[in-house]
Amino acid sequence: MRWIDNLKEYIRTVRTRLYISKNFPASKAITVSHDFSMGKNNLFKISSHSEIQIHSSVSIRNFCSIIVEDSAKLVIERRVFMNNYCSLNCLESIRIGENTIIGEGVKIYDHNHKYVTNPDFKVHPDLFSTAPVTIGKNCWIGSNVTILKGVEIGDNVIIGANCLIYKSIRGNSIVKSKAELIIDSIS
């Protein structure tokens, strides 16, 4: 389990917290390139039987949270840049294509809470529905974008700041929010 010791040492030097399940198998379930870099105060939570691949020249800035639960798979391809305060929450599968830039505060979820409406409305805090999230190559995800379960984003896509992405986007597209700013006079 030398790779875990190396990862723990690296993480300790950049003040990042790493949580690995006590039942984590001694296998090649985690592959991290030698030139992976990250800033300070990040959180990695890695559960047993999960799979993580971080390819070459991946850079994660500060205050990011990456959670990979049981049997989930996270793949970050080469030359991906993730800015400050991002969150990846992986219960099934998240794949980020090469040369992708992720702005500050981006949230990516491959799951939703399950709920029932009959006989009474109840949201289950520990039951989830999942679907993979795939982000193509050469994408730019603007600040404070949220990407939800089941979304496939094609190659060469730009997503403007503050967009909520709840459906798939074909390649070679630009996505902008059409929110309108209304300014009224006080007088």
Side-chain angles (χ1 to χ4, degrees):
M1 303 246 303
R2 184 173 178 214
W3 57 268
I4 287 181
D5 294 333
N6 291 342
L7 184 59
K8 284 181 180 178
E9 178 59 30
Y10 177 77
I11 285 171
R12 188 173 330 117
T13 64
V14 294
R15 286 187 280 160
T16 290
R17 293 178 300 185
L18 173 67
Y19 299 99
I20 297 178
S21 169
K22 291 178 183 175
N23 300 322
F24 201 82
S27 70
K28 295 184 180 181
I30 297 180
T31 55
V32 178
S33 177
H34 70 283
D35 60 353
F36 168 60
S37 68
M38 72 179 141
K40 296 180 179 178
N41 299 306
N42 294 301
L43 167 68
F44 281 76
K45 181 177 178 251
I46 302 168
S47 295
S48 61
H49 307 293
S50 59
E51 182 180 343
I52 298 173
Q53 298 174 22
I54 300 177
H55 294 239
S56 64
S57 302
V58 169
S59 179
I60 297 175
R61 298 272 321 263
N62 305 307
F63 303 101
C64 294
S65 172
I66 297 176
I67 298 171
V68 186
E69 292 292 351
D70 269 348
S71 303
K73 182 176 183 177
L74 172 65
V75 177
I76 303 175
E77 294 181 1
R78 58 196 183 113
R79 292 188 304 274
V80 168
F81 172 76
M82 186 181 306
N83 214 330
N84 302 310
Y85 302 102
C86 291
S87 178
L88 304 179
N89 291 270
C90 184
L91 272 62
E92 183 177 326
S93 174
I94 296 174
R95 179 179 210 92
I96 302 171
E98 64 184 40
N99 300 314
T100 291
I101 299 170
I102 299 175
E104 280 196 350
V106 170
K107 311 285 188 257
I108 302 173
Y109 303 99
D110 69 352
H111 62 282
N112 283 335
H113 288 276
K114 288 187 176 182
Y115 65 92
V116 293
T117 58
N118 193 7
D120 295 318
F121 181 83
K122 180 180 179 181
V123 176
H124 295 284
D126 55 355
L127 296 176
F128 304 94
S129 61
T130 64
V133 171
T134 303
I135 299 171
K137 299 174 183 176
N138 306 311
C139 293
W140 175 20
I141 313 297
S143 295
N144 300 312
V145 168
T146 299
I147 300 171
L148 300 179
K149 76 171 191 167
V151 166
E152 291 183 33
I153 298 171
D155 296 341
N156 311 310
V157 170
I158 299 172
I159 300 176
N162 298 309
C163 287
L164 173 64
I165 307 301
Y166 58 90
K167 60 183 177 180
S168 294
I169 300 165
R170 70 179 187 277
N172 302 303
S173 299
I174 298 175
V175 178
K176 302 178 249 182
S177 177
K178 195 177 177 183
E180 187 176 337
L181 186 63
I182 299 170
I183 302 171
D184 290 329
S185 175
I186 294 175
S187 56

